[in-house]
Each structure stands twice: as structure tokens, then as C-alpha cells.
Amino acid sequence: MERAHDAIGPAFEKLIADAEAELVARRSNSTPLTVATVPVRTVHANELSLEDFIENHALPGVPVVIQGLNVTPPDAPRWTLKHFVDVCGDVNVTLNKKGADTDNWGGLVTAGRLTLREFVASHATDDDRKRWYLHDWSLNRECPDVFGPPPYDRFLVPKYFAGDYFQRVPWVSYEHTWPSLFVGAANTSSALHTDSGATNFWMYLLSGAKRWRFWPRTTSFHLYLKPMSSHYRVDAFNLNLTERPLLADAPMWEVTQRPGDLVFVPSNAPHAVHNDEDTVGISMNYVDASNVWAYLHDAASSEQWEDFENFDVETNDFGLSRTQGDVTFGEWKSSRRAWEGKVRLYRAERERRGEASRGKRPAPGEKEEDLRFPVWLD
């Protein structure tokens, strides 16, 4: 791997230098370089169907802010930082902070370990712990009591993400990772990065304010991607076009997230986040019909053959339902059997149609649908 990196690095630097020279030649010297900012669509859940979300955001890779969602049912305890401390305050947590020179995910390094109660009591006032960040702490594994007793109905998975393939494919390492908890003081942040596994990502903000910057998945080169990594040679919140002129060819989405907002980050979209205030958020990474091919490509590229083979089309059930609604945590974790039934009906109907149209050629522009990896089952 090191040999490959050493070989690719100089060639990549030459490509960047050539692209920068072309950019300078293309633009007038009298015109200052700027970064084009594109507004992020903000929409109430009542106005956003699942089909709209998949077709206009998840598939093409366009972020969106969804408002009006609740992650806890009306009769369940409201999820707040105090509630997490009441339920799991004595559990030890690993804290992170932003590293000056690291290739770790999100530019974060380990800062220390405390109980959740100790961290919450001091993270907003202690000078050192103000820089510490509880990052992607798995509630499934570390704080399962927060979901309540069986049938585990104190958390709601929004319909947009209820079709998660990790809950259908057995033996995948990510199956029991999310949702997770993020807690950070004002001015903590993560560096520009893409999420591992080409997964989609969402975060629901319980309190505080987060500032997000995202770029299209096609602009990694313009963001000075470090070869063979998911990190970039760009400070997302201190853009310097004198040093990094290719940023001028990379339009940027920017939005400030408020309590009750859910931010969706598409797979392979470079993004960074800065906590403008003390924040508490819930997040989830997932794979569904919108990014399964990207996930499989990433698994093969990183030689994660076990995860790749687990997505066997002969033994798993893929596809989404336009009539999907929000589900409780317990329903979400036990949804495999329900999807088996939906896929069985879908395949039977497609085979019946195939028999009726056998021998007919597809109409001009019509594609033959892959029954193994459909987007929609209805």
C-alpha cells in the first residue's frame, strides 16, 4: 500500500498543478476567485414523500434539511442530554478532539475516557474538555436501555431511512452500530471528509446549532483529495483560494442546523461540520437502494470481501416501498421477515409480467430492470 501511495502521489500532484494552471489561464486575472455557494433545500416532512427524497436527493447525491420530524413517540421520554445521563451516565465513553496532523477519520484523535456523566458535567466549562467531542457513540451497544423495554418503542426511525439494508443482510458488522450520539461544546468540529463505506448519513439535532458545508461527490479532485484516503488538503471553514484555487470550480452547499432539523448527507459527499453552540445530536449511517452499488464498490476496493459477499442477491431482499412509514426501533431491528414478504410478491409479479411479455423487445429508451437490485418494490 505504501509503495502504491508513493507512486500515485507525484502523479496526483502533477494533475493538480496542471489543473491549477488551466484554471488560471481560463479566468481573467482581474476576476478574483470565489467559491459558489448553493442553498440547501429545507422542507417539512409533510411536504417530502419518500419517493421525492430518494429520487431527488439520495440517488443524485443532493443534501436536504428535513423539518417537522420526531425521533421519539409522544408517550415516550423526550431524548435530551439529561435523559441520556439519567439512563447511561455511569457508562465510560471515549472522547475525541481535532488533531493537528492526522489522517484519522474526520481529523479526530483520542482525547481521553470519562463516564458520560463526568463529560457532560464538564465539557462546556473545562478549558481542556471544551475541545473534546463525544463522537458517533453507539446507543445500540453502549446505551440500549434508552430504547426502552420490549418492544423497544422509545425511538422512531424516519421512513426515509427505514429501508436500511444493514438490517436485512445478516452478519454485516454495521448492523448494530446506529443510531449513535454526538455531544460537543461550541467551536468543536470535524475536518472535511467522506464517510466510510460510501454510506448515506443523517443527523437529527436535539439541541444547539451546527454549521455544515458539503460538496458534490464529483468534486473530490477540486478539494485536493489525499490519494487513497477519504481526507482532503482543505480547511472547510477557512477556505484559501490563493493556496487552493481549484475550490473555485467546486460549488459548495452550506446550512446551519437548528434543533429539530434533520440533515441528510449523501454517500461519498465530502462534508465538514462546526458546532456554533453546545450541541447534542443523533445520527445514523445506512445503505439502501440509493447507494448499494457505491457501498459494494467501496467494499471491493478496500478488499472487505466478507461484507461484499454478505450482500448476496440470492439470499437477501433488496428494494424500497413507496408506502413505507416511520417505524419504532424494535420494528426496524426485526424488519427482515417483512421485507422477505414484500420482495417475494414483487418478484412473483415481475415474473408474471415477464411471462406475458416474453419475446417482446424493450421500447426505445426503456431499460430492462434488474430484479435482484430494484429501487422500488411497488
Side-chain angles (χ1 to χ4, degrees), residues 89 92 113-123 129:
N92 287 314
R113 281 181 64 82
L114 297 169
T115 66
L116 179 62
R117 191 185 315 279
E118 290 172 322
F119 174 62
V120 169
S122 60
H123 80 287
R129 295 175 186 174

Side-chain angles (χ1 to χ4, degrees), residues 195 231 261 290 365 374:
D195 282 359
H231 299 88
D261 289 350
S290 68

Side-chain angles (χ1 to χ4, degrees), residues 328-365:
T328 66
F329 180 76
E331 291 170 335
W332 181 60
K333 297 301 290 183
S334 57
S335 61
R336 189 173 297 153
R337 185 60 60 85
W339 285 110
E340 287 176 0
K342 292 177 182 178
V343 170
R344 191 179 304 114
L345 290 173
Y346 165 80
R347 289 178 175 169
E349 174 63 15
R350 296 301 300 180
E351 288 173 5
R352 185 190 66 77
R353 292 184 186 180
E355 286 292 335
S357 61
R358 191 176 301 281
K360 295 181 180 179
R361 291 184 178 181

Side-chain angles (χ1 to χ4, degrees), residues 71-73 76-77 79 145-149 152-156 328-329:
V71 295
T72 52
W79 278 18
D145 289 347
V146 78
F147 300 106
Y152 312 111
D153 56 2
R154 293 183 181 175
F155 175 72
L156 293 175
T328 66
F329 180 76

Side-chain angles (χ1 to χ4, degrees), residues 41-342:
R41 180 188 181 191
T42 299
V43 58
H44 195 281
N46 291 343
E47 305 297 324
L48 182 67
S49 68
L50 177 58
E51 185 173 10
D52 183 353
F53 171 75
I54 294 294
E55 299 291 345
N56 295 310
H57 295 283
L59 279 170
V62 178
V64 63
V65 177
I66 308 174
Q67 298 180 327
L69 292 170
N70 290 309
V71 295
T72 52
D75 57 347
R78 186 164 165 262
W79 278 18
T80 63
L81 190 53
K82 181 181 182 303
H83 180 62
F84 289 118
V85 172
D86 289 342
V87 176
C88 299
D90 295 329
V91 178
N92 287 314
V93 297
T94 298
L95 291 313
N96 297 296
K97 63 182 178 181
K98 197 170 181 180
D101 185 19
T102 178
D103 285 333
N104 288 351
W105 187 93
L108 300 173
V109 297
T110 300
R113 281 181 64 82
L114 297 169
T115 66
L116 179 62
R117 191 185 315 279
E118 290 172 322
F119 174 62
V120 169
S122 60
H123 80 287
T125 56
D126 184 278
D127 287 340
D128 287 331
R129 295 175 186 174
K130 283 181 181 179
R131 298 183 293 117
W132 293 13
Y133 200 5
L134 180 60
H135 177 271
D136 208 15
W137 188 59
S138 173
L139 294 173
N140 291 21
R141 294 171 173 164
E142 307 295 341
C143 187
D145 289 347
V146 78
F147 300 106
Y152 312 111
D153 56 2
R154 293 183 181 175
F155 175 72
L156 293 175
V157 178
K159 63 184 179 182
Y160 310 106
F161 322 112
D164 178 24
Y165 286 0
F166 289 148
Q167 307 310 311
R168 305 189 214 177
V169 177
W171 319 120
V172 174
S173 58
Y174 290 136
E175 181 180 3
H176 301 302
T177 301
W178 294 288
S180 60
L181 178 67
F182 284 71
V183 180
N187 297 316
T188 51
S189 62
S190 63
L192 185 64
H193 64 281
T194 54
D195 282 359
S196 59
T199 52
N200 290 330
F201 172 84
W202 61 262
M203 175 169 284
Y204 180 88
L205 198 61
L206 298 173
S207 60
K210 285 180 175 285
R211 187 155 37 105
W212 293 81
R213 286 186 170 180
F214 331 77
W215 280 264
R217 55 175 63 132
T218 56
T219 59
S220 289
F221 179 79
H222 301 85
L223 299 175
Y224 297 82
L225 174 69
K226 296 180 182 180
M228 302 180 71
S229 79
S230 59
H231 299 88
Y232 301 82
R233 295 187 177 96
V234 167
D235 183 343
F237 293 101
N238 185 25
L239 300 177
N240 187 329
L241 277 79
T242 301
E243 293 183 0
R244 306 293 189 217
L246 295 182
L247 288 167
D249 280 345
M252 176 186 73
W253 291 290
E254 183 174 30
V255 70
T256 297
Q257 184 182 21
R258 304 291 181 183
D261 289 350
L262 184 147
V263 168
F264 168 72
V265 181
S267 69
N268 286 330
H271 60 281
V273 61
H274 183 273
N275 291 323
D276 289 342
E277 301 173 3
D278 299 344
T279 60
V280 181
I282 301 297
S283 79
M284 175 177 149
N285 290 68
Y286 71 100
V287 169
D288 66 8
S290 68
N291 65 324
V292 62
W293 292 111
Y295 172 81
L296 291 174
H297 177 271
D298 184 89
S301 299
S302 56
E303 299 184 353
Q304 301 294 319
W305 301 118
E306 185 174 344
D307 281 350
F308 185 91
E309 292 172 358
N310 281 334
F311 276 70
D312 173 23
V313 296
E314 302 301 329
T315 57
N316 292 298
D317 301 294
F318 301 110
L320 301 173
S321 172
R322 292 179 175 87
T323 60
Q324 177 70 57
D326 299 345
V327 294
T328 66
F329 180 76
E331 291 170 335
W332 181 60
K333 297 301 290 183
S334 57
S335 61
R336 189 173 297 153
R337 185 60 60 85
W339 285 110
E340 287 176 0
K342 292 177 182 178

